[in-house]
Amino acid sequence: MSELAILGGVKTRTEPYPKWPVWDQRDIDAVTEVIKSGRWGGYPYPGPKTAELARKFLEMQGGNFAVVMANGTVTMEVALRAAGVGWGDEVLVPAYTFQATASAPMAAGAIPVIVDIDPNTYCMDAKAAEKAITPKTKAIIPVHLASNMADMDAIMALAEKYNLIVVEDCAHAHGAKWRGMGAGTIGHFGSFSLQSSKTLTTGEGGILLCKAPELAAKAASIIDCGRPHALGGGGEDYSLDYQVGGNFRLSEIAAALALVGIERFPAQARQREAMAAYMDEALSEISGVRVLKRDERHTTRSFYRYVFAIQPSVFGVEHDVLCAALDAEGIDCWVGYEAMHNYTLFQPLKSKLAVPNAFPEYFDFASMDLPEATRACEHEAVWLDEAVFRAGSRGVDDAVTAIKKIQANAKELAEAALKRAP
Ligand SMILES: Cc1ncc(COP(=O)(O)O)c(C=O)c1O
C-alpha cells in the first residue's frame, strides 16, 4: 500500500488544526453590551465602538486617520472616489490577488489595468507597473500578498514621478511593517479587510487608513450617504458640502467584536512571525521548494497565509497535485488565486457594468501576457493555512513532514495524477 494518504496510506496529521476565528467570553460580553445599549447601527457615524475601533487600529497599525466601514472592497472604491479617481481613469492592479482589488476600481468608474508580479515576492512588480503607466493612469493599488509586502519604496517613487494616488491593499497585512512603517500608512490610503478569514476580523468589515485629513473626511462622507464630515472624518460637520455617497457604515455590534480581536492580535502576530521563520528554515532544506524572498525592508512580517513556491520539475509534482496530497495528509492548504486574466471570479465582460462595456479593449484577457503571475498561479504557489502556524511548532513540523513525505513519493503520486487526469 502507498505511504501517501491520498493513495490510501496513513495521514501525517489526524488532529484538526485550530479553528478560526477564535473567541471567548469577552466577545460574547462585548456584543451583549452593544445589544443592551440599543445602539446597534452605524448611524450617526461614527458610533462610540466604531470611533474606538478607529483609534485602537491607528495605535496598532500607525497612520493618521482611520475610517471604519463595511468591508475591505468598498474601502478601495471609497479611497479612489475620495481622491477623485473615476470615469475612464486607469488604475494599476497586480495580476495576483483576490478579485476585489480589480473590481473596486470598476465600482468607482475606473479601469483596472493588470500588471505582472515580481516572482520573488508574488507582489506587484514596480518595473512592470511603470511600463503600464499612460497619461490616463491615476492610481496604483499594490497588494501586500499573503506573507509578503510589495516594494513600497519603488511604488512611492512611481507615485511621485507620475503623480499617482497609492491605495495599499492590506487585506493580508494587518500588523506588517515596511522599514518600521505600518502597511497602509505609506501610500495615500491603506485598505484593510476584517472579513472572517482575515487575521483581525468582525465577520465582515473594513478600515481605510488615510494620510490626509481632507481625504478621510471625504471617505467618511461617501460611506455615510454623503453627509458632510469634519476634517479627519471624525463626525458630521454641516458647514461643509454634501456629496454623492452610499451606506457603507459598519454596525456597532461588529465594531465591538473587532475591539476584542485587536486585544488578541499582538500575541497572535508574534507567534505567526516566529513560526513563519521556523517554517522558512525547514522548507529551505527541501529540494524543489523555494521560500519566497523576504525583502529586508519588510521589517515586521505579519501574514494571512504562508506562501511558498515549488519548482515542479525538481519537486516531482505540480502544485495542485501537492496541495491535494497535503490536504489528504491533514495539512490545511490551497493553490491560491488564479491570475486575474484567467480568474473565474473576475468576469467583467459577462456583466452589464458600465466600465467593461464602455472600455472592452481593456478586458481582452486572451491577449494579455503575464508570465510571472501565470507561472505562480498555475504551477508554483502553495498557500499554507494560518492555522498551521497557530498550532505551534508541532503544527509546522507536521506540515514539513507531510511535504517531505510527498516529495519522497512524488513519482508514484505523479503517475497516479496522470491516470486520474481527463
Ligand atoms: C487581497 C484582498 N483584497 C481585498 C479583499 C476584500 O475584502 P472584503 O472581503 O472584506 O471585501 C480581500 C478578501 O476578501 C483580499 O484577499
Side-chain angles (χ1 to χ4, degrees), residues 99-375:
Q99 60 79 27
T101 317
S103 63
M106 294 195 304
I111 305 161
V113 173
I114 304 167
V115 166
D116 211 355
I117 54 165
D118 175 342
N120 290 313
T121 60
Y122 285 173
C123 296
M124 180 186 270
D125 178 357
K127 288 198 195 80
E130 183 160 21
K131 283 196 194 125
I133 291 172
T134 75
K136 289 174 76 180
T137 310
K138 292 290 170 335
I140 179 163
I141 312 186
V143 178
H144 304 311
L145 192 79
S147 45
N148 261 310
M149 284 188 76
D151 182 343
M152 284 311 296
D153 295 347
I155 303 250
M156 293 313 290
L158 286 184
E160 205 158 301
K161 185 168 166 191
Y162 297 97
N163 193 25
L164 306 176
I165 292 291
V166 176
V167 183
E168 295 175 66
D169 184 347
C170 305
H172 300 176
H174 311 69
K177 288 191 174 141
W178 179 264
R179 290 197 289 104
M181 295 176 284
T185 71
I186 304 162
H188 302 81
F189 298 96
S191 160
F192 292 81
S193 164
L194 306 180
Q195 174 264 347
S196 14
S197 70
K198 302 304 184 310
T199 55
L200 177 65
T201 181
T202 58
E204 303 290 352
I207 298 180
L208 182 66
L209 293 184
C210 308
K211 204 164 237 172
E214 60 278 12
L215 291 178
K218 268 200 167 169
S221 173
I222 291 169
I223 67 155
D224 190 22
C225 309
R227 292 184 182 88
H229 274 263
L231 282 186
E236 289 166 25
D237 178 349
Y238 288 95
S239 65
L240 299 166
D241 270 351
Y242 284 80
Q243 57 186 312
V244 176
N247 176 7
F248 299 147
R249 297 180 302 255
L250 187 73
S251 85
E252 285 284 282
I253 298 171
L257 272 176
L259 282 167
V260 185
I262 228 168
E263 284 174 19
R264 292 191 191 99
F265 186 87
Q268 292 169 337
R270 277 194 299 277
Q271 186 193 25
R272 284 186 202 112
E273 190 170 26
M275 287 298 107
Y278 181 62
M279 179 63 99
D280 286 350
E281 220 176 294
L283 287 184
S284 59
E285 291 165 5
I286 306 177
S287 67
V289 168
R290 179 168 64 88
V291 174
L292 294 194
K293 194 168 159 229
R294 160 111 172 261
D295 192 303
E296 58 187 25
R297 293 165 296 176
H298 182 185
T299 41
T300 302
R301 174 158 68 169
S302 175
F303 68 90
Y304 166 64
R305 298 285 184 265
Y306 180 102
V307 179
F308 65 92
I310 59 164
Q311 195 183 337
S313 59
V314 179
F315 189 86
V317 288
E318 287 283 334
H319 76 150
D320 53 341
V321 178
L322 169 58
C323 283
L326 272 174
D327 217 40
E329 297 292 339
I331 311 301
D332 300 343
C333 72
W334 181 47
V335 287
Y337 309 114
E338 294 158 283
M340 193 59 76
H341 61 313
N342 293 326
Y343 201 160
T344 36
L345 273 182
F346 186 67
Q347 299 293 330
L349 282 177
K350 288 187 183 162
S351 74
K352 285 193 172 176
L353 284 173
V355 169
N357 281 284
F359 308 102
E361 66 278 16
Y362 284 89
F363 298 91
D364 178 12
F365 293 148
S367 73
M368 288 186 191
D369 183 28
L370 299 157
E372 298 304 340
T374 303
R375 181 164 43 243

